[in-house]
Amino acid sequence: MDVIEYSLGSQQKAEVYINRLFAYFLDPDQPHGMEEEFLRAFLNGLPDTCGFDEDLHDLSDVVVDDQVRLTEQVDGDPVSSGFVDLVVQVPNEWFLLVELKFSAEDTQTEFYRQDVTHIDDVPKDDYESGAYYLYLHQADRPDANDSEFSNWTWTKFVDSVLTDFIVATAPRYPQRTVVQLYEFADDIRSIAGMSDPTDNVAEKVELYLDHYETITDVTETFEDQWETFAHNWPTRLANRLASNGSGAILSDTDYHVQFECPTDGVGNWWFRSTSSDWGMLFKHGWWRHTDDLTDIRHERPDDRNDARIGFHHRLENDRDQALRDNTLTLYFRNMGANDQSFIDAVYEKFNAQADAIDTVLPATANRTGNKRNMIAATYDITPDDHDDFFTAYIAALEDAFRDLVVENPELLSILDGIYADAVDDVYDTDITPPR
């Protein structure tokens, strides 16, 4: 914790302390043992007004820095500058500027967004995917001066992200990190003048420490089972579909299952489990190399030049939803790693087909209005009706796949056309979707 010497009696030192400790927890490379998990929880918890819409599956390239110099440059020469409290970024892709306030009034957000041309001497224009702005402040203080900064209070952050994160994930981390997280939350409350939490985090942390060995044993057992499931769900899903007459397994390797659906127009499908989070289900032909659009893929090319669409379920990101709420969500996604021009083209053509899509969507699904996850379908996970939780999860996933794929050639025909038209517009290539 040797971050900075401070005292809560000194507001300025306290703010610097919070700023640096915040950056420490967000940075996956720091020795807190959480890797990317707190960063992912923070980004997923951002207020909707922030508009944050980036692919969080792989955060290995994320850089987190505090007190980052921002400059307005004219003809290569800085004419004015300032320091923003936090910058979270994937270089050349997206950035999130975060200004933290406890007592002082906002004087900088208009400059940060409207005038700044460079982030630590890197042009803003170099970031191709997105620019996001967050103002984190006390509830009784005015909002940011710049209207494009998303306003978020310390109370909302502590209650909706930090407290839930501590309680839900404490068994996974070293005791020291758990204590640090609790002290971090407690210090924010003290500095921001917040009331004590209603969910009694201190007592829960103490209970966790008292029963550390038992909790650790139970948690490790479940984590082992979850890890196995994250790897073998494609085989389990394919076997269940085949046994219920919904198709046949064409191939089954370590990370991929190719599945043939008998319905006309539905085609062959790939179930992919190379990620512990992203469970991919996509039609053969919905993943192509952009340098040769006849090259149909089922995994990423070495040069990462690809264009793809598909369905997915989020094993890690939606795990609390699955375990706590017994709910599975299957998404149709315009993949975040696509070229921006292709993302835009798919989104435009998808919206042009909105009425036709609404007509064929099952009652469990809806269009989201989101540029990436464009359809979301929810299903109940019912462990009481099956041998265990994982079998119930597969049963829900089977229902989703049957509704959106096996028994819905009309929807697939629309999505085939959207993909082919976007490829033609962006890459000037005419493709015929495989049947």
Side-chain angles (χ1 to χ4, degrees):
M1 291 288 285
D2 187 19
V3 179
I4 187 173
E5 180 183 356
Y6 88 105
S7 164
L8 290 180
S10 171
Q11 193 77 6
Q12 183 176 7
K13 288 184 178 179
E15 291 180 7
V16 173
Y17 159 78
I18 291 294
N19 185 68
R20 294 190 178 179
L21 191 56
F22 207 162
Y24 169 80
F25 285 134
L26 289 173
D27 190 346
D29 292 332
Q30 295 295 337
H32 43 58
M34 296 183 292
E35 297 182 343
E36 303 166 356
E37 196 160 2
F38 182 67
L39 172 61
R40 185 173 285 110
F42 170 72
L43 295 175
N44 278 322
L46 291 171
D48 292 341
T49 53
C50 195
F52 187 82
D53 185 24
E54 300 296 334
D55 189 341
L56 301 183
H57 164 53
D58 183 3
L59 294 176
S60 59
D61 293 332
V62 167
V63 178
V64 179
D65 290 305
D66 67 301
Q67 293 300 307
V68 176
R69 184 170 181 259
L70 306 180
T71 56
E72 178 187 7
Q73 297 187 19
V74 177
D75 297 329
D77 296 322
V79 295
S80 56
S81 66
F83 290 86
V84 70
D85 292 320
L86 284 174
V87 174
V88 180
Q89 63 170 307
V90 174
N92 301 317
E93 293 189 19
W94 58 264
F95 66 80
L96 168 67
L97 302 188
V98 185
E99 183 71 356
L100 311 178
K101 288 293 182 184
F102 284 102
S103 58
E105 300 297 328
D106 172 35
T107 59
Q108 291 287 82
T109 56
E110 288 182 345
F111 169 71
Y112 292 159
R113 192 188 67 83
Q114 299 176 27
D115 300 327
V116 162
T117 59
H118 289 69
I119 301 173
D120 203 14
D121 290 330
V122 176
K124 269 189 182 180
D125 293 342
D126 284 3
Y127 295 86
E128 298 180 355
S129 179
Y132 308 97
Y133 302 87
L134 180 68
Y135 186 65
L136 196 48
H137 64 103
Q138 285 179 256
D140 60 349
R141 296 288 176 175
D143 291 344
N145 289 335
D146 186 89
S147 61
E148 294 300 316
F149 264 77
S150 177
N151 294 283
W152 204 19
T153 67
W154 287 109
T155 301
K156 288 289 188 182
F157 164 69
V158 171
D159 290 347
S160 65
V161 175
L162 184 54
T163 298
D164 288 348
F165 182 82
I166 294 171
V167 174
T169 63
R172 305 181 195 175
Y173 305 132
Q175 291 188 40
R176 185 182 183 210
T177 295
V178 175
V179 173
Q180 289 173 341
L181 284 168
Y182 170 69
E183 290 180 346
F184 181 51
D186 192 48
D187 288 340
I188 291 175
R189 293 188 189 96
S190 298
I191 301 170
M194 295 167 55
S195 59
D196 290 336
T198 58
D199 57 2
N200 223 345
V201 175
E203 284 78 3
K204 290 181 180 180
V205 171
E206 183 178 356
L207 184 64
Y208 159 69
L209 296 175
D210 288 343
H211 298 277
Y212 175 77
E213 290 186 3
T214 301
I215 293 173
T216 300
D217 180 55
V218 172
T219 301
E220 287 179 352
T221 299
F222 179 80
E223 291 295 335
D224 288 344
Q225 292 298 308
W226 184 270
E227 183 178 355
T228 299
F229 179 70
H231 176 75
N232 68 21
W233 70 263
T235 299
R236 295 184 64 166
L237 174 62
N239 284 334
R240 187 176 179 92
L241 286 164
S243 65
N244 290 334
S246 296
I249 299 173
L250 298 180
S251 63
D252 188 351
T253 61
D254 280 347
Y255 297 103
H256 298 88
V257 171
Q258 189 177 16
F259 190 81
E260 179 184 34
C261 296
T263 312
D264 289 344
V266 174
N268 296 340
W269 285 73
W270 291 92
F271 306 155
R272 184 171 186 258
S273 64
T274 55
S275 166
S276 61
D277 185 14
W278 295 76
M280 305 302 303
L281 307 93
F282 55 94
K283 186 178 180 182
H284 186 71
W286 280 1
W287 193 343
R288 296 171 184 260
H289 198 297
T290 56
D291 293 341
D292 178 6
L293 275 304
T294 65
D295 182 11
I296 298 177
R297 312 286 305 180
H298 63 269
E299 57 186 347
R300 298 215 70 174
D302 292 339
D303 58 12
R304 302 174 71 84
N305 294 332
D306 51 7
R308 56 177 170 144
I309 59 173
F311 293 95
H312 73 273
H313 57 114
R314 299 289 301 274
L315 288 104
E316 282 298 332
N317 188 74
D318 291 351
R319 181 157 77 161
D320 286 346
Q321 172 186 285
L323 294 172
R324 182 189 60 228
D325 303 330
N326 285 156
T327 300
L328 166 77
T329 303
L330 187 68
Y331 307 89
F332 173 74
R333 185 167 176 83
N334 182 9
M335 299 302 174
N338 293 335
D339 292 337
Q340 187 62 49
S341 56
F342 187 72
I343 292 173
D344 294 341
V346 170
Y347 183 63
E348 176 186 346
K349 296 180 185 306
F350 182 88
N351 286 339
Q353 294 282 346
D355 290 342
I357 291 170
D358 286 343
T359 300
V360 298
L361 282 181
T364 55
N366 64 279
R367 290 183 298 107
T368 65
N370 188 288
K371 202 167 190 175
R372 306 289 175 81
N373 289 332
M374 297 190 290
I375 295 173
T378 57
Y379 292 81
D380 291 336
I381 299 171
T382 57
D384 291 344
D385 296 337
H386 300 275
D387 292 339
D388 56 31
F389 169 83
F390 298 108
T391 304
Y393 188 110
I394 290 296
L397 190 56
E398 178 196 22
D399 289 342
F401 189 73
R402 287 173 62 90
D403 282 352
L404 294 163
V405 176
V406 177
E407 299 175 355
N408 207 333
E410 297 88 354
L411 174 61
L412 298 182
S413 177
I414 295 171
L415 298 180
D416 275 339
I418 289 171
Y419 182 77
D421 289 346
V423 167
D424 190 17
D425 280 5
V426 176
Y427 303 110
D428 195 25
T429 301
D430 184 18
I431 63 170
T432 301
R435 296 294 179 181

